Amino acid sequence: ILKEKGAAPSELEEEVAKALFDIEVSPSSDIKGDLRDVCLCSAQELEVKNRVALVIHFPFRVWTKVRKIQGRLIRELEKKFSKKHVIFVANRTILDKNFRRKGLQVRPRSRTLTSVHESIMEDVVGPTEIYGKRTRISVDGTKLMKVILDPKDKDKENVETKLATYAAVYKKLTNKEAVFQFPEV
């Protein structure tokens, strides 16, 4: 567990770290080689309708490794934390408009608010891919993002049941409304 400025990890984070460690040391695990260098920043629980979502934040440095094993790791963790939807998100930095105060010459496109929110959306729906996006602006000026997920993942691992969870987690992390759905055929 990597916490910034030496803060002590919470009970939930300890529990998640222990679960990751158990998966790493279990002899039957096919992903233990990939799990060796993986650490987490934080974990939080969110209430979604009648379920609890477990959001786990990983440092950006290890995110490429986590991405590779995301599907299998989520399955393993959901077995360990039954009745919880597990969602992985990378810890990204947003630099505001006056980034020069921090002594930087340029602000990389990957550090803009828009870019980070886009990436968070992709993280939240992961292992599934985003197939399309529509932004609907209603008469009173509120924006609603419709996110269409890849239809070939529709029958896989109860993704259908997680759509509400995705929306709630995305709302919590970015404060933007989004509706996740599969394309109607």
Side-chain angles (χ1 to χ4, degrees):
I1 304 175
L2 280 181
K3 299 291 280 181
E4 48 196 60
K5 300 182 184 81
S10 68
E11 279 176 34
L12 179 68
E13 287 159 3
E14 292 283 3
E15 210 176 313
V16 172
K18 187 179 179 322
L20 283 174
F21 182 69
D22 291 345
I23 294 169
E24 189 182 332
V25 294
S26 74
S28 60
S29 174
D30 55 341
I31 53 176
K32 67 178 179 199
D34 301 312
L35 261 181
R36 194 169 302 118
D37 314 321
V38 172
C39 51
L40 60 131
C41 299
S42 64
Q44 64 191 66
E45 282 185 332
L46 290 177
E47 287 290 326
V48 184
K49 289 182 183 165
N50 49 5
R51 293 292 285 268
V52 175
L54 180 62
V55 184
I56 304 173
H57 295 267
F58 290 96
F60 188 71
R61 291 195 306 278
V62 300
W63 183 246
T64 47
K65 292 187 184 101
V66 174
R67 242 236 61 137
K68 269 188 237 151
I69 55 172
Q70 194 173 17
R72 289 175 289 176
L73 192 55
I74 285 179
R75 231 184 345 247
E76 292 286 332
L77 284 173
E78 281 181 351
K79 276 183 218 158
K80 289 211 185 318
F81 301 101
S82 55
K83 293 271 189 277
K84 285 182 186 170
H85 286 159
V86 178
I87 287 176
F88 295 162
V89 180
N91 240 8
R92 293 186 165 83
T93 316
I94 298 175
L95 292 175
D96 56 353
K97 286 260 169 67
N98 50 19
F99 54 90
R100 287 199 177 78
R101 281 191 203 157
K102 295 188 176 77
L104 297 165
Q105 236 57 66
V106 289
R107 172 171 71 159
R109 282 275 194 260
S110 65
R111 305 285 192 289
T112 60
L113 179 92
T114 316
S115 159
V116 169
H117 282 187
E118 291 279 308
S119 310
I120 285 176
M121 182 182 289
E122 280 168 26
D123 295 354
V124 165
V125 300
T128 329
E129 256 119 49
I130 292 175
Y131 195 69
K133 285 192 203 97
R134 312 275 182 274
T135 306
R136 179 147 186 254
I137 303 172
S138 59
V139 184
D140 58 352
T142 55
K143 285 184 180 179
L144 176 70
M145 187 113 73
K146 284 185 179 174
V147 182
I148 299 149
L149 301 177
D150 201 342
K152 67 175 182 278
D153 295 326
K154 192 169 190 170
D155 359 304
K156 269 195 219 148
E157 301 160 35
N158 60 19
V159 176
E160 290 266 1
T161 55
K162 290 187 185 175
L163 295 178
T165 312
Y166 292 159
V169 170
Y170 185 69
K171 170 88 173 127
K172 174 85 173 125
L173 293 175
T174 63
N175 222 350
K176 288 182 181 169
E177 292 287 346
V179 173
F180 294 89
Q181 59 195 38
F182 287 104
E184 288 87 28
V185 181

